[in-house]
PDB file of all heavy atoms in Angstrom:
ATOM      1  N   GLU A   1       0.810  -1.212   0.000  1.00 87.00           N
ATOM      2  CA  GLU A   1       0.000   0.000   0.000  1.00 87.00           C
ATOM      3  C   GLU A   1       0.846   1.266   0.000  1.00 87.00           C
ATOM      4  O   GLU A   1       0.495   2.268  -0.641  1.00 87.00           O
ATOM      5  CB  GLU A   1      -0.952   0.007   1.199  1.00 87.00           C
ATOM      6  CG  GLU A   1      -2.069  -1.008   1.112  1.00 87.00           C
ATOM      7  CD  GLU A   1      -2.982  -0.747  -0.084  1.00 87.00           C
ATOM      8  OE1 GLU A   1      -3.209   0.436  -0.415  1.00 87.00           O
ATOM      9  OE2 GLU A   1      -3.439  -1.734  -0.687  1.00 87.00           O
ATOM     10  N   GLN A   2       1.957   1.241   0.709  1.00 90.00           N
ATOM     11  CA  GLN A   2       2.812   2.426   0.761  1.00 90.00           C
ATOM     12  C   GLN A   2       3.448   2.706  -0.600  1.00 90.00           C
ATOM     13  O   GLN A   2       3.481   3.860  -1.056  1.00 90.00           O
ATOM     14  CB  GLN A   2       3.913   2.243   1.820  1.00 90.00           C
ATOM     15  CG  GLN A   2       4.769   3.495   2.027  1.00 90.00           C
ATOM     16  CD  GLN A   2       5.765   3.323   3.160  1.00 90.00           C
ATOM     17  OE1 GLN A   2       5.800   2.293   3.827  1.00 90.00           O
ATOM     18  NE2 GLN A   2       6.586   4.340   3.385  1.00 90.00           N
ATOM     19  N   LEU A   3       3.935   1.653  -1.246  1.00 91.00           N
ATOM     20  CA  LEU A   3       4.502   1.823  -2.579  1.00 91.00           C
ATOM     21  C   LEU A   3       3.443   2.268  -3.578  1.00 91.00           C
ATOM     22  O   LEU A   3       3.711   3.100  -4.459  1.00 91.00           O
ATOM     23  CB  LEU A   3       5.133   0.511  -3.056  1.00 91.00           C
ATOM     24  CG  LEU A   3       6.424   0.084  -2.365  1.00 91.00           C
ATOM     25  CD1 LEU A   3       6.882  -1.273  -2.887  1.00 91.00           C
ATOM     26  CD2 LEU A   3       7.520   1.126  -2.583  1.00 91.00           C
ATOM     27  N   LYS A   4       2.242   1.721  -3.428  1.00 90.00           N
ATOM     28  CA  LYS A   4       1.156   2.092  -4.317  1.00 90.00           C
ATOM     29  C   LYS A   4       0.834   3.588  -4.175  1.00 90.00           C
ATOM     30  O   LYS A   4       0.626   4.291  -5.171  1.00 90.00           O
ATOM     31  CB  LYS A   4      -0.092   1.259  -4.004  1.00 90.00           C
ATOM     32  CG  LYS A   4      -1.251   1.490  -4.975  1.00 90.00           C
ATOM     33  CD  LYS A   4      -2.479   0.702  -4.564  1.00 90.00           C
ATOM     34  CE  LYS A   4      -2.243  -0.797  -4.686  1.00 90.00           C
ATOM     35  NZ  LYS A   4      -3.480  -1.572  -4.411  1.00 90.00           N
ATOM     36  N   GLU A   5       0.807   4.071  -2.950  1.00 91.00           N
ATOM     37  CA  GLU A   5       0.522   5.488  -2.703  1.00 91.00           C
ATOM     38  C   GLU A   5       1.625   6.369  -3.288  1.00 91.00           C
ATOM     39  O   GLU A   5       1.344   7.404  -3.909  1.00 91.00           O
ATOM     40  CB  GLU A   5       0.383   5.750  -1.202  1.00 91.00           C
ATOM     41  CG  GLU A   5       0.024   7.192  -0.872  1.00 91.00           C
ATOM     42  CD  GLU A   5      -0.138   7.419   0.622  1.00 91.00           C
ATOM     43  OE1 GLU A   5      -0.011   6.445   1.395  1.00 91.00           O
ATOM     44  OE2 GLU A   5      -0.384   8.573   1.017  1.00 91.00           O
ATOM     45  N   GLN A   6       2.885   5.958  -3.106  1.00 94.00           N
ATOM     46  CA  GLN A   6       4.009   6.734  -3.643  1.00 94.00           C
ATOM     47  C   GLN A   6       3.960   6.790  -5.174  1.00 94.00           C
ATOM     48  O   GLN A   6       4.171   7.847  -5.780  1.00 94.00           O
ATOM     49  CB  GLN A   6       5.332   6.115  -3.188  1.00 94.00           C
ATOM     50  CG  GLN A   6       5.609   6.263  -1.703  1.00 94.00           C
ATOM     51  CD  GLN A   6       6.858   5.509  -1.254  1.00 94.00           C
ATOM     52  OE1 GLN A   6       7.477   4.792  -2.044  1.00 94.00           O
ATOM     53  NE2 GLN A   6       7.238   5.659   0.000  1.00 94.00           N
ATOM     54  N   ASP A   7       3.675   5.646  -5.792  1.00 93.00           N
ATOM     55  CA  ASP A   7       3.600   5.599  -7.251  1.00 93.00           C
ATOM     56  C   ASP A   7       2.432   6.438  -7.772  1.00 93.00           C
ATOM     57  O   ASP A   7       2.544   7.094  -8.822  1.00 93.00           O
ATOM     58  CB  ASP A   7       3.443   4.153  -7.729  1.00 93.00           C
ATOM     59  CG  ASP A   7       4.737   3.365  -7.615  1.00 93.00           C
ATOM     60  OD1 ASP A   7       5.786   3.998  -7.400  1.00 93.00           O
ATOM     61  OD2 ASP A   7       4.696   2.125  -7.728  1.00 93.00           O
ATOM     62  N   THR A   8       1.327   6.424  -7.049  1.00 93.00           N
ATOM     63  CA  THR A   8       0.156   7.202  -7.466  1.00 93.00           C
ATOM     64  C   THR A   8       0.456   8.701  -7.419  1.00 93.00           C
ATOM     65  O   THR A   8       0.094   9.454  -8.335  1.00 93.00           O
ATOM     66  CB  THR A   8      -1.051   6.887  -6.567  1.00 93.00           C
ATOM     67  OG1 THR A   8      -1.367   5.496  -6.669  1.00 93.00           O
ATOM     68  CG2 THR A   8      -2.268   7.702  -6.983  1.00 93.00           C
ATOM     69  N   ILE A   9       1.133   9.125  -6.361  1.00 95.00           N
ATOM     70  CA  ILE A   9       1.502  10.542  -6.232  1.00 95.00           C
ATOM     71  C   ILE A   9       2.462  10.941  -7.347  1.00 95.00           C
ATOM     72  O   ILE A   9       2.317  11.995  -7.981  1.00 95.00           O
ATOM     73  CB  ILE A   9       2.131  10.821  -4.849  1.00 95.00           C
ATOM     74  CG1 ILE A   9       1.080  10.667  -3.749  1.00 95.00           C
ATOM     75  CG2 ILE A   9       2.740  12.221  -4.812  1.00 95.00           C
ATOM     76  CD1 ILE A   9       1.651  10.747  -2.339  1.00 95.00           C
ATOM     77  N   GLU A  10       3.458  10.085  -7.606  1.00 96.00           N
ATOM     78  CA  GLU A  10       4.424  10.376  -8.676  1.00 96.00           C
ATOM     79  C   GLU A  10       3.739  10.422 -10.030  1.00 96.00           C
ATOM     80  O   GLU A  10       4.034  11.296 -10.874  1.00 96.00           O
ATOM     81  CB  GLU A  10       5.529   9.329  -8.689  1.00 96.00           C
ATOM     82  CG  GLU A  10       6.631   9.626  -9.705  1.00 96.00           C
ATOM     83  CD  GLU A  10       7.749   8.596  -9.700  1.00 96.00           C
ATOM     84  OE1 GLU A  10       7.691   7.649  -8.883  1.00 96.00           O
ATOM     85  OE2 GLU A  10       8.681   8.737 -10.520  1.00 96.00           O
ATOM     86  N   LEU A  11       2.805   9.504 -10.259  1.00 95.00           N
ATOM     87  CA  LEU A  11       2.064   9.479 -11.522  1.00 95.00           C
ATOM     88  C   LEU A  11       1.251  10.752 -11.700  1.00 95.00           C
ATOM     89  O   LEU A  11       1.242  11.352 -12.787  1.00 95.00           O
ATOM     90  CB  LEU A  11       1.155   8.250 -11.564  1.00 95.00           C
ATOM     91  CG  LEU A  11       0.252   8.107 -12.799  1.00 95.00           C
ATOM     92  CD1 LEU A  11       1.084   8.014 -14.069  1.00 95.00           C
ATOM     93  CD2 LEU A  11      -0.662   6.887 -12.653  1.00 95.00           C
ATOM     94  N   ASP A  12       0.559  11.169 -10.654  1.00 95.00           N
ATOM     95  CA  ASP A  12      -0.248  12.396 -10.727  1.00 95.00           C
ATOM     96  C   ASP A  12       0.634  13.607 -11.016  1.00 95.00           C
ATOM     97  O   ASP A  12       0.278  14.472 -11.837  1.00 95.00           O
ATOM     98  CB  ASP A  12      -1.017  12.610  -9.424  1.00 95.00           C
ATOM     99  CG  ASP A  12      -2.150  11.609  -9.237  1.00 95.00           C
ATOM    100  OD1 ASP A  12      -2.539  10.968 -10.227  1.00 95.00           O
ATOM    101  OD2 ASP A  12      -2.640  11.471  -8.094  1.00 95.00           O
ATOM    102  N   ASN A  13       1.783  13.679 -10.343  1.00 96.00           N
ATOM    103  CA  ASN A  13       2.689  14.815 -10.544  1.00 96.00           C
ATOM    104  C   ASN A  13       3.223  14.853 -11.977  1.00 96.00           C
ATOM    105  O   ASN A  13       3.275  15.918 -12.609  1.00 96.00           O
ATOM    106  CB  ASN A  13       3.856  14.752  -9.553  1.00 96.00           C
ATOM    107  CG  ASN A  13       3.434  15.052  -8.125  1.00 96.00           C
ATOM    108  OD1 ASN A  13       2.406  15.684  -7.889  1.00 96.00           O
ATOM    109  ND2 ASN A  13       4.220  14.599  -7.164  1.00 96.00           N
ATOM    110  N   LEU A  14       3.619  13.682 -12.476  1.00 96.00           N
ATOM    111  CA  LEU A  14       4.137  13.616 -13.844  1.00 96.00           C
ATOM    112  C   LEU A  14       3.060  13.963 -14.867  1.00 96.00           C
ATOM    113  O   LEU A  14       3.323  14.654 -15.856  1.00 96.00           O
ATOM    114  CB  LEU A  14       4.681  12.217 -14.131  1.00 96.00           C
ATOM    115  CG  LEU A  14       6.129  11.934 -13.724  1.00 96.00           C
ATOM    116  CD1 LEU A  14       6.436  10.455 -13.889  1.00 96.00           C
ATOM    117  CD2 LEU A  14       7.096  12.769 -14.541  1.00 96.00           C
ATOM    118  N   THR A  15       1.847  13.477 -14.627  1.00 96.00           N
ATOM    119  CA  THR A  15       0.740  13.754 -15.547  1.00 96.00           C
ATOM    120  C   THR A  15       0.434  15.247 -15.579  1.00 96.00           C
ATOM    121  O   THR A  15       0.245  15.840 -16.651  1.00 96.00           O
ATOM    122  CB  THR A  15      -0.515  12.969 -15.127  1.00 96.00           C
ATOM    123  OG1 THR A  15      -0.225  11.564 -15.135  1.00 96.00           O
ATOM    124  CG2 THR A  15      -1.674  13.244 -16.078  1.00 96.00           C
ATOM    125  N   ASN A  16       0.375  15.873 -14.406  1.00 96.00           N
ATOM    126  CA  ASN A  16       0.101  17.313 -14.343  1.00 96.00           C
ATOM    127  C   ASN A  16       1.217  18.125 -14.998  1.00 96.00           C
ATOM    128  O   ASN A  16       0.955  19.093 -15.721  1.00 96.00           O
ATOM    129  CB  ASN A  16      -0.076  17.748 -12.890  1.00 96.00           C
ATOM    130  CG  ASN A  16      -1.343  17.198 -12.263  1.00 96.00           C
ATOM    131  OD1 ASN A  16      -2.321  16.938 -12.957  1.00 96.00           O
ATOM    132  ND2 ASN A  16      -1.341  17.019 -10.952  1.00 96.00           N
ATOM    133  N   GLU A  17       2.464  17.720 -14.731  1.00 97.00           N
ATOM    134  CA  GLU A  17       3.604  18.429 -15.331  1.00 97.00           C
ATOM    135  C   GLU A  17       3.570  18.316 -16.855  1.00 97.00           C
ATOM    136  O   GLU A  17       3.786  19.303 -17.573  1.00 97.00           O
ATOM    137  CB  GLU A  17       4.917  17.846 -14.801  1.00 97.00           C
ATOM    138  CG  GLU A  17       6.156  18.473 -15.442  1.00 97.00           C
ATOM    139  CD  GLU A  17       7.441  17.711 -15.135  1.00 97.00           C
ATOM    140  OE1 GLU A  17       7.513  17.089 -14.048  1.00 97.00           O
ATOM    141  OE2 GLU A  17       8.347  17.737 -15.971  1.00 97.00           O
ATOM    142  N   THR A  18       3.283  17.122 -17.351  1.00 96.00           N
ATOM    143  CA  THR A  18       3.265  16.897 -18.793  1.00 96.00           C
ATOM    144  C   THR A  18       2.112  17.644 -19.458  1.00 96.00           C
ATOM    145  O   THR A  18       2.273  18.186 -20.563  1.00 96.00           O
ATOM    146  CB  THR A  18       3.170  15.389 -19.104  1.00 96.00           C
ATOM    147  OG1 THR A  18       4.208  14.692 -18.395  1.00 96.00           O
ATOM    148  CG2 THR A  18       3.311  15.118 -20.584  1.00 96.00           C
ATOM    149  N   ARG A  19       0.982  17.699 -18.795  1.00 96.00           N
ATOM    150  CA  ARG A  19      -0.157  18.452 -19.330  1.00 96.00           C
ATOM    151  C   ARG A  19       0.186  19.936 -19.433  1.00 96.00           C
ATOM    152  O   ARG A  19      -0.057  20.583 -20.465  1.00 96.00           O
ATOM    153  CB  ARG A  19      -1.387  18.265 -18.450  1.00 96.00           C
ATOM    154  CG  ARG A  19      -2.621  19.027 -18.972  1.00 96.00           C
ATOM    155  CD  ARG A  19      -3.775  18.995 -17.982  1.00 96.00           C
ATOM    156  NE  ARG A  19      -4.177  17.641 -17.681  1.00 96.00           N
ATOM    157  CZ  ARG A  19      -4.145  17.087 -16.474  1.00 96.00           C
ATOM    158  NH1 ARG A  19      -3.712  17.781 -15.433  1.00 96.00           N
ATOM    159  NH2 ARG A  19      -4.533  15.851 -16.288  1.00 96.00           N
ATOM    160  N   SER A  20       0.760  20.485 -18.368  1.00 96.00           N
ATOM    161  CA  SER A  20       1.127  21.905 -18.358  1.00 96.00           C
ATOM    162  C   SER A  20       2.186  22.207 -19.417  1.00 96.00           C
ATOM    163  O   SER A  20       2.095  23.213 -20.143  1.00 96.00           O
ATOM    164  CB  SER A  20       1.640  22.289 -16.968  1.00 96.00           C
ATOM    165  OG  SER A  20       2.075  23.628 -16.935  1.00 96.00           O
ATOM    166  N   LEU A  21       3.181  21.336 -19.521  1.00 97.00           N
ATOM    167  CA  LEU A  21       4.249  21.527 -20.498  1.00 97.00           C
ATOM    168  C   LEU A  21       3.707  21.449 -21.922  1.00 97.00           C
ATOM    169  O   LEU A  21       4.084  22.256 -22.788  1.00 97.00           O
ATOM    170  CB  LEU A  21       5.336  20.472 -20.283  1.00 97.00           C
ATOM    171  CG  LEU A  21       6.532  20.500 -21.240  1.00 97.00           C
ATOM    172  CD1 LEU A  21       7.228  21.848 -21.212  1.00 97.00           C
ATOM    173  CD2 LEU A  21       7.516  19.385 -20.878  1.00 97.00           C
ATOM    174  N   SER A  22       2.809  20.511 -22.169  1.00 96.00           N
ATOM    175  CA  SER A  22       2.233  20.353 -23.516  1.00 96.00           C
ATOM    176  C   SER A  22       1.450  21.592 -23.925  1.00 96.00           C
ATOM    177  O   SER A  22       1.560  22.077 -25.064  1.00 96.00           O
ATOM    178  CB  SER A  22       1.328  19.122 -23.565  1.00 96.00           C
ATOM    179  OG  SER A  22       2.050  17.941 -23.296  1.00 96.00           O
ATOM    180  N   ASN A  23       0.653  22.117 -23.010  1.00 95.00           N
ATOM    181  CA  ASN A  23      -0.120  23.331 -23.313  1.00 95.00           C
ATOM    182  C   ASN A  23       0.808  24.508 -23.592  1.00 95.00           C
ATOM    183  O   ASN A  23       0.553  25.325 -24.490  1.00 95.00           O
ATOM    184  CB  ASN A  23      -1.054  23.658 -22.150  1.00 95.00           C
ATOM    185  CG  ASN A  23      -2.236  22.716 -22.074  1.00 95.00           C
ATOM    186  OD1 ASN A  23      -2.753  22.263 -23.095  1.00 95.00           O
ATOM    187  ND2 ASN A  23      -2.689  22.404 -20.869  1.00 95.00           N
ATOM    188  N   SER A  24       1.888  24.609 -22.813  1.00 96.00           N
ATOM    189  CA  SER A  24       2.848  25.699 -23.002  1.00 96.00           C
ATOM    190  C   SER A  24       3.538  25.591 -24.360  1.00 96.00           C
ATOM    191  O   SER A  24       3.674  26.593 -25.085  1.00 96.00           O
ATOM    192  CB  SER A  24       3.888  25.677 -21.878  1.00 96.00           C
ATOM    193  OG  SER A  24       4.909  26.624 -22.109  1.00 96.00           O
ATOM    194  N   LEU A  25       3.951  24.383 -24.730  1.00 96.00           N
ATOM    195  CA  LEU A  25       4.633  24.188 -26.012  1.00 96.00           C
ATOM    196  C   LEU A  25       3.695  24.482 -27.176  1.00 96.00           C
ATOM    197  O   LEU A  25       4.120  25.046 -28.192  1.00 96.00           O
ATOM    198  CB  LEU A  25       5.171  22.760 -26.124  1.00 96.00           C
ATOM    199  CG  LEU A  25       6.306  22.389 -25.166  1.00 96.00           C
ATOM    200  CD1 LEU A  25       6.778  20.964 -25.439  1.00 96.00           C
ATOM    201  CD2 LEU A  25       7.471  23.360 -25.277  1.00 96.00           C
ATOM    202  N   LYS A  26       2.443  24.109 -27.034  1.00 94.00           N
ATOM    203  CA  LYS A  26       1.470  24.414 -28.093  1.00 94.00           C
ATOM    204  C   LYS A  26       1.405  25.915 -28.336  1.00 94.00           C
ATOM    205  O   LYS A  26       1.449  26.390 -29.483  1.00 94.00           O
ATOM    206  CB  LYS A  26       0.082  23.894 -27.702  1.00 94.00           C
ATOM    207  CG  LYS A  26      -1.003  24.172 -28.746  1.00 94.00           C
ATOM    208  CD  LYS A  26      -2.391  24.167 -28.139  1.00 94.00           C
ATOM    209  CE  LYS A  26      -2.619  25.412 -27.304  1.00 94.00           C
ATOM    210  NZ  LYS A  26      -4.017  25.526 -26.816  1.00 94.00           N
ATOM    211  N   ASP A  27       1.307  26.694 -27.265  1.00 93.00           N
ATOM    212  CA  ASP A  27       1.214  28.155 -27.394  1.00 93.00           C
ATOM    213  C   ASP A  27       2.500  28.746 -27.979  1.00 93.00           C
ATOM    214  O   ASP A  27       2.459  29.688 -28.775  1.00 93.00           O
ATOM    215  CB  ASP A  27       0.927  28.783 -26.034  1.00 93.00           C
ATOM    216  CG  ASP A  27      -0.468  28.450 -25.512  1.00 93.00           C
ATOM    217  OD1 ASP A  27      -1.343  28.122 -26.339  1.00 93.00           O
ATOM    218  OD2 ASP A  27      -0.678  28.509 -24.286  1.00 93.00           O
ATOM    219  N   ARG A  28       3.646  28.178 -27.592  1.00 94.00           N
ATOM    220  CA  ARG A  28       4.920  28.704 -28.088  1.00 94.00           C
ATOM    221  C   ARG A  28       5.120  28.383 -29.576  1.00 94.00           C
ATOM    222  O   ARG A  28       5.641  29.217 -30.331  1.00 94.00           O
ATOM    223  CB  ARG A  28       6.069  28.145 -27.252  1.00 94.00           C
ATOM    224  CG  ARG A  28       6.086  28.722 -25.838  1.00 94.00           C
ATOM    225  CD  ARG A  28       6.994  27.953 -24.913  1.00 94.00           C
ATOM    226  NE  ARG A  28       8.393  28.091 -25.293  1.00 94.00           N
ATOM    227  CZ  ARG A  28       9.386  27.445 -24.675  1.00 94.00           C
ATOM    228  NH1 ARG A  28       9.112  26.623 -23.662  1.00 94.00           N
ATOM    229  NH2 ARG A  28      10.639  27.624 -25.064  1.00 94.00           N
ATOM    230  N   ILE A  29       4.688  27.202 -29.997  1.00 93.00           N
ATOM    231  CA  ILE A  29       4.758  26.862 -31.422  1.00 93.00           C
ATOM    232  C   ILE A  29       3.811  27.753 -32.210  1.00 93.00           C
ATOM    233  O   ILE A  29       4.141  28.225 -33.307  1.00 93.00           O
ATOM    234  CB  ILE A  29       4.436  25.371 -31.639  1.00 93.00           C
ATOM    235  CG1 ILE A  29       5.548  24.502 -31.044  1.00 93.00           C
ATOM    236  CG2 ILE A  29       4.275  25.058 -33.126  1.00 93.00           C
ATOM    237  CD1 ILE A  29       5.244  23.014 -31.043  1.00 93.00           C
ATOM    238  N   LYS A  30       2.661  28.008 -31.628  1.00 90.00           N
ATOM    239  CA  LYS A  30       1.706  28.922 -32.261  1.00 90.00           C
ATOM    240  C   LYS A  30       2.330  30.304 -32.428  1.00 90.00           C
ATOM    241  O   LYS A  30       2.132  30.971 -33.444  1.00 90.00           O
ATOM    242  CB  LYS A  30       0.437  29.017 -31.408  1.00 90.00           C
ATOM    243  CG  LYS A  30      -0.646  29.915 -31.990  1.00 90.00           C
ATOM    244  CD  LYS A  30      -1.866  29.916 -31.105  1.00 90.00           C
ATOM    245  CE  LYS A  30      -2.953  30.839 -31.666  1.00 90.00           C
ATOM    246  NZ  LYS A  30      -4.150  30.870 -30.792  1.00 90.00           N
ATOM    247  N   GLY A  31       3.098  30.742 -31.426  1.00 90.00           N
ATOM    248  CA  GLY A  31       3.773  32.025 -31.515  1.00 90.00           C
ATOM    249  C   GLY A  31       4.795  32.055 -32.635  1.00 90.00           C
ATOM    250  O   GLY A  31       4.917  33.054 -33.356  1.00 90.00           O
ATOM    251  N   LEU A  32       5.539  30.972 -32.824  1.00 89.00           N
ATOM    252  CA  LEU A  32       6.510  30.901 -33.913  1.00 89.00           C
ATOM    253  C   LEU A  32       5.822  30.928 -35.272  1.00 89.00           C
ATOM    254  O   LEU A  32       6.312  31.554 -36.214  1.00 89.00           O
ATOM    255  CB  LEU A  32       7.357  29.624 -33.799  1.00 89.00           C
ATOM    256  CG  LEU A  32       8.361  29.549 -32.647  1.00 89.00           C
ATOM    257  CD1 LEU A  32       9.097  28.212 -32.688  1.00 89.00           C
ATOM    258  CD2 LEU A  32       9.356  30.695 -32.708  1.00 89.00           C
ATOM    259  N   GLU A  33       4.681  30.270 -35.361  1.00 84.00           N
ATOM    260  CA  GLU A  33       3.970  30.227 -36.643  1.00 84.00           C
ATOM    261  C   GLU A  33       3.339  31.564 -36.984  1.00 84.00           C
ATOM    262  O   GLU A  33       2.986  31.813 -38.137  1.00 84.00           O
ATOM    263  CB  GLU A  33       2.913  29.124 -36.615  1.00 84.00           C
ATOM    264  CG  GLU A  33       3.528  27.736 -36.547  1.00 84.00           C
ATOM    265  CD  GLU A  33       2.516  26.623 -36.641  1.00 84.00           C
ATOM    266  OE1 GLU A  33       1.389  26.809 -36.181  1.00 84.00           O
ATOM    267  OE2 GLU A  33       2.874  25.562 -37.179  1.00 84.00           O
ATOM    268  N   GLY A  34       3.209  32.432 -35.978  1.00 79.00           N
ATOM    269  CA  GLY A  34       2.653  33.760 -36.219  1.00 79.00           C
ATOM    270  C   GLY A  34       3.717  34.813 -36.427  1.00 79.00           C
ATOM    271  O   GLY A  34       3.431  36.011 -36.396  1.00 79.00           O
ATOM    272  N   SER A  35       4.985  34.391 -36.648  1.00 73.00           N
ATOM    273  CA  SER A  35       6.076  35.337 -36.850  1.00 73.00           C
ATOM    274  C   SER A  35       5.835  36.173 -38.104  1.00 73.00           C
ATOM    275  O   SER A  35       5.322  35.667 -39.113  1.00 73.00           O
ATOM    276  CB  SER A  35       7.416  34.601 -36.981  1.00 73.00           C
ATOM    277  OG  SER A  35       7.701  33.882 -35.804  1.00 73.00           O
ATOM    278  N   PRO A  36       6.194  37.467 -38.085  1.00 70.00           N
ATOM    279  CA  PRO A  36       5.989  38.333 -39.259  1.00 70.00           C
ATOM    280  C   PRO A  36       6.867  37.887 -40.415  1.00 70.00           C
ATOM    281  O   PRO A  36       7.930  37.290 -40.216  1.00 70.00           O
ATOM    282  CB  PRO A  36       6.396  39.722 -38.743  1.00 70.00           C
ATOM    283  CG  PRO A  36       7.324  39.457 -37.602  1.00 70.00           C
ATOM    284  CD  PRO A  36       6.817  38.191 -36.967  1.00 70.00           C
ATOM    285  N   PRO A  37       6.458  38.169 -41.661  1.00 71.00           N
ATOM    286  CA  PRO A  37       7.261  37.787 -42.825  1.00 71.00           C
ATOM    287  C   PRO A  37       8.580  38.554 -42.849  1.00 71.00           C
ATOM    288  O   PRO A  37       8.701  39.646 -42.291  1.00 71.00           O
ATOM    289  CB  PRO A  37       6.366  38.167 -44.014  1.00 71.00           C
ATOM    290  CG  PRO A  37       5.450  39.229 -43.478  1.00 71.00           C
ATOM    291  CD  PRO A  37       5.220  38.872 -42.033  1.00 71.00           C
ATOM    292  N   GLY A  38       9.564  37.985 -43.498  1.00 71.00           N
ATOM    293  CA  GLY A  38      10.873  38.610 -43.590  1.00 71.00           C
ATOM    294  C   GLY A  38      11.761  37.822 -44.520  1.00 71.00           C
ATOM    295  O   GLY A  38      11.324  36.844 -45.148  1.00 71.00           O
ATOM    296  N   PRO A  39      13.033  38.216 -44.621  1.00 75.00           N
ATOM    297  CA  PRO A  39      13.943  37.530 -45.555  1.00 75.00           C
ATOM    298  C   PRO A  39      14.163  36.059 -45.218  1.00 75.00           C
ATOM    299  O   PRO A  39      14.516  35.272 -46.089  1.00 75.00           O
ATOM    300  CB  PRO A  39      15.251  38.324 -45.422  1.00 75.00           C
ATOM    301  CG  PRO A  39      15.158  39.012 -44.090  1.00 75.00           C
ATOM    302  CD  PRO A  39      13.702  39.314 -43.896  1.00 75.00           C
ATOM    303  N   ASP A  40      13.959  35.683 -43.960  1.00 81.00           N
ATOM    304  CA  ASP A  40      14.180  34.294 -43.547  1.00 81.00           C
ATOM    305  C   ASP A  40      12.858  33.573 -43.270  1.00 81.00           C
ATOM    306  O   ASP A  40      12.847  32.559 -42.568  1.00 81.00           O
ATOM    307  CB  ASP A  40      15.050  34.256 -42.289  1.00 81.00           C
ATOM    308  CG  ASP A  40      16.397  34.936 -42.494  1.00 81.00           C
ATOM    309  OD1 ASP A  40      17.118  34.501 -43.409  1.00 81.00           O
ATOM    310  OD2 ASP A  40      16.717  35.882 -41.757  1.00 81.00           O
ATOM    311  N   ALA A  41      11.769  34.092 -43.813  1.00 83.00           N
ATOM    312  CA  ALA A  41      10.434  33.558 -43.499  1.00 83.00           C
ATOM    313  C   ALA A  41      10.301  32.087 -43.892  1.00 83.00           C
ATOM    314  O   ALA A  41       9.757  31.283 -43.128  1.00 83.00           O
ATOM    315  CB  ALA A  41       9.361  34.392 -44.191  1.00 83.00           C
TER     316      ALA A  41
END
């Protein structure tokens, strides 16, 4: 039971971190795709 509780907490933390990171990366890629035109467009 103790190991199960530890693994559950670690799983929840990793899932939350990955969700937050994924949302952040989506917005940052969106920002790159909205870059103004230029010589290196």
Side-chain angles (χ1 to χ4, degrees):
E1 290 298 325
Q2 185 175 358
L3 289 177
K4 185 183 294 185
E5 183 179 358
Q6 291 174 355
D7 286 347
T8 300
I9 292 173
E10 185 179 359
L11 177 61
D12 289 343
N13 289 338
L14 274 172
T15 301
N16 291 332
E17 176 192 330
T18 307
R19 180 188 301 119
S20 177
L21 179 57
S22 298
N23 286 325
S24 174
L25 293 183
K26 180 203 73 173
D27 292 337
R28 290 166 67 184
I29 292 172
K30 182 178 179 181
L32 290 180
E33 293 185 328
S35 299
D40 302 302

